[in-house]
């Protein structure tokens, strides 16, 4: 298996998608609208993680490109839960790649407490042999609080090789609830801000209409 | 006022400090120790914000370099509240800049709910005229939860020109409490993890001592 | 004229094209073939240069997007003159943008001594309003020697506001000839290297065929 | 040998020096003076090249840090041969590192045709154990033409494992002469430009003195 040959198109897909999704941010900053994207990250799965996951999920190495959908991963972080829907709509409207699958772990959070919105994209990269090659890329969309929790859960999964002790798992569930609570409080602020803006706009319109 | 001439050394200080602080991360990743730095950002204060703050705080423009200590700003984000002390010690041990001032808004959080550890650094940059020029740089150290809250508070301060309506201010205080709660839960996980590691190490040592 | 609104899609096009063209390099480095791309740069034309050129060429500001084809510019540098053809073929084979125009200032060098291969690309960027927006981008392909000369000519054009004194113009022509000479010598090396490789391969084949 | 542990401080030194030397460029761009730095690159020597050189030069692996002075390498490219002296003076004036050795392969070019100015720097990096660690870094200063030639010579040395065939070596010498010729022509332009500026300044002064 020549990993560099296998993974170079995925590395390319990640780099292109990062630039493209950051571009959404730049466009929002030209408007007076709240930008739904806080920041964007991306990575190609390390070879050691690919091998570990292939073994665990029983994926033959000649089926990696079809059956391991997160060889390439891109992640969008946002401030408010409500931003996630906005981003999903923006992604659906694009014409430079297509959507293969969607999983909403926010409406249906995992037992561990994990929340995130996942999409599998089919993204074309150009090859020097001529012609396109399609790559599958997993896009994760989450708030900063979801991401904070997920980062820590991921490093514990790694440390304990997937077998997190019960006490720590229960702690993680409690922390996930605190993260959820933070998102709830933040959502109320977003609501208040939007409410306040509507009132202010109406007052301004009213005062303008006066002779 | 030639802003480019004034701010170029501060831009340089920010770039150098970002590279240096990211270097701490790279060194930790060589060890088996938890890295206390999640990520590092930096910026030079935009001219419009400098002018607004100078007016508000009554700072004459020829006193900016001495009296506005956040012309250059660098920020370190970490996972756990306990990481902040580790970072403060690392910063104090360095010989490539000195510390002018420290303010601990974690032990003494602001009324708004703001938590963060601030240090003012005196950082030397080299000039093409020969010789060093000292710059003041504000370093902020915070957890991801503190940063999440502070980002939103900052954009509201900006939106409402410093006069956030009472209802929203109260919402912000509640959100700050939720962020604090998240940090508390996370700290317990960190404690559990460290506790679990100690127990595992002792068991291993015991089993090795058996004949 | 809101320059940020006008130029943001062009900035996006430049960023995406830089990542895509650098990707060609990465793909070549996986093969044993010589990579035809040494490095890639890009820029959006500064507003002051746009205004100066619009005045000089009599382009109304509401016709900039159609009539000023180098608002966005991307440049590929290569080692050998022969690499330029390889790159042109790679560009033509791509399906993610189209070619609007080509000008070969290598076969037909300018009176000043300027040599370079120019293509005008029609490159689609995605907008947050939904749908694509086409941008024109000028792609320049040149050797390192052509680029060296062009960089210096450009800064002199700028210094003398387009009116370079005769003596300096004559010096520039002489320097262009020296740059051409360097490219010629380099081309011969490339030929020798390819020749040497063919001979070596034949000798190896011959020795393998012996019993 | 843990290569990551050995090379991480050198990687850090390269990153810091690149930011610092690029900063010189930014400072020049604030002045009306010609910037002597065109661009800056840097790299840590790949492990395969370290092993090959250690074998060839008979350096024991526990003496790499003292005896292989180009584990870390930084390179400054400039437009004119005359810029090299300016850069050397700027480097000597700095207080953030010291100079251990200098070799002038421009006044004393190598038999192969290689021209470049080399300095060995002693550069301190901060460690997480506390305290500084000194690293040796090789700084190369060259014109774009010198760099063009050296890039090609380097890839041929690599291809032929240090034993370049005679015909190609002779071609390289001829190409080095063409590169030298290009630098000579460019130097004359620089002289003309400086001469022209002096004349223009005098004429302006004369016209201002007239009543």
């Amino acid at each position: 298996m020549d990993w560099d040959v296998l993974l170079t198109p995925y590395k390319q897909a990640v780099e292109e998608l990062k630039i493209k999704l950051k571009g959404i941010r730049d466009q929002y900053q030209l408007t007076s609208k709240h930008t739904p994207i806080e920041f964007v990250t991306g990575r190609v799965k390390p070879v050691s993680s690919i091998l570990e996951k292939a073994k665990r999920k029983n994926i033959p190495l000649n089926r990696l490109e079809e059956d391991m959908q997160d060889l390439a991963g891109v992640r969008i972080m946002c401030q408010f839960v409500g931003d996630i829907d906005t981003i999903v709509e923006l992604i659906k409207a694009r014409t430079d790649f297509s959507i293969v699958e969607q999983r909403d772990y926010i409406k249906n959070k995992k037992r561990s407490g994990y929340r995130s919105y996942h999409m599998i994209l089919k993204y074309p990269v150009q090859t020097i042999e001529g012609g396109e090659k399609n790559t599958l890329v997993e896009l994760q969309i989450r708030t900063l609080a979801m991401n904070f929790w997920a980062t820590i859960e991921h490093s514990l999964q790694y440390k304990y090789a997937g077998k997190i002790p019960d006490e720590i798992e229960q702690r993680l569930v409690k922390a996930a609830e605190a993260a959820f609570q933070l998102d709830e409080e933040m959502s109320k602020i977003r609501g208040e801000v939007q409410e306040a803006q509507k009132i202010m706009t109406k007052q301004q319109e009213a005062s303008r209409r006066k002779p």
Side-chain angles (χ1 to χ4, degrees), chain A:
Chain A
M1 173 73 63
D2 187 331
W3 292 104
D4 280 339
V5 169
L6 177 75
L7 296 176
T8 292
Y10 293 88
K11 193 174 146 255
Q12 186 63 25
V14 167
E15 292 308 312
E16 294 185 14
L17 278 164
K18 272 165 60 183
I19 290 288
K20 288 180 169 193
L21 298 172
K22 284 174 186 171
I24 296 178
R25 258 203 107 192
D26 296 343
Q27 287 185 58
Y28 267 97
Q29 278 162 352
L30 293 178
T31 71
S32 58
K33 280 184 268 181
H34 160 72
T35 165
I37 295 183
E38 189 65 16
F39 62 98
V40 179
T41 62
R43 64 100 186 92
V44 169
K45 208 178 187 65
V47 173
S48 59
S49 309
I50 296 174
L51 288 172
E52 183 274 320
K53 185 171 180 177
K55 200 176 164 188
R56 183 161 42 85
K57 300 241 173 184
N58 240 333
I59 301 173
L61 292 189
N62 60 1
R63 295 280 308 163
L64 287 178
E65 296 197 77
E66 299 80 21
D67 297 353
M68 196 174 288
Q69 298 183 324
D70 65 343
L71 288 179
V74 175
R75 192 178 291 160
I76 298 177
M77 261 62 69
C78 51
Q79 291 189 321
F80 301 111
V81 179
D83 294 336
I84 294 174
D85 286 340
T86 310
I87 297 168
V88 169
E89 292 314 310
L90 282 168
I91 297 295
K92 284 184 183 164
R94 293 183 72 106
T95 59
D96 49 349
F97 51 74
S98 60
I99 301 167
V100 169
E101 213 180 302
Q102 298 182 57
R103 269 165 290 170
D104 184 345
Y105 296 122
I106 293 170
K107 285 217 182 69
N108 311 107
K109 74 170 181 205
K110 290 195 187 176
R111 239 199 41 157
S112 63
Y114 180 82
R115 292 179 300 141
S116 215
Y117 195 100
H118 290 199
M119 298 174 119
I120 306 297
L121 311 178
K122 188 156 82 185
Y123 184 85
V125 294
Q126 305 283 320
T127 66
I128 57 174
E129 291 82 28
E132 297 177 1
K133 176 191 165 66
N134 278 313
T135 58
L136 294 182
V137 180
E138 187 180 80
L139 172 64
Q140 302 178 340
I141 313 171
R142 12 169 117 157
T143 64
L144 293 169
M146 295 174 193
N147 188 50
F148 179 18
W149 182 88
T151 307
I152 285 168
E153 199 236 3
H154 181 82
S155 55
L156 290 176
Q157 289 289 6
Y158 186 83
K159 186 186 230 71
Y160 292 106
K163 289 158 198 155
I164 298 182
D166 276 1
E167 314 93 73
I168 293 177
E169 201 162 43
Q170 284 162 31
R171 279 281 170 222
L172 270 173
V173 170
K174 281 208 174 167
E177 281 159 16
F180 178 77
Q181 218 48 55
L182 178 52
D183 274 335
E184 290 286 293
E185 293 297 337
M186 288 300 191
S187 291
K188 286 176 198 160
I189 291 172
R190 195 192 184 214
E192 293 264 1
V193 170
Q194 287 175 332
E195 206 55 43
Q197 278 178 319
K198 273 186 213 152
I199 293 165
M200 282 162 64
T201 313
K202 274 186 193 158
Q203 287 175 335
Q204 286 168 351
E205 282 170 2
S207 72
R208 254 177 289 147
R209 256 182 270 118
K210 280 181 195 161

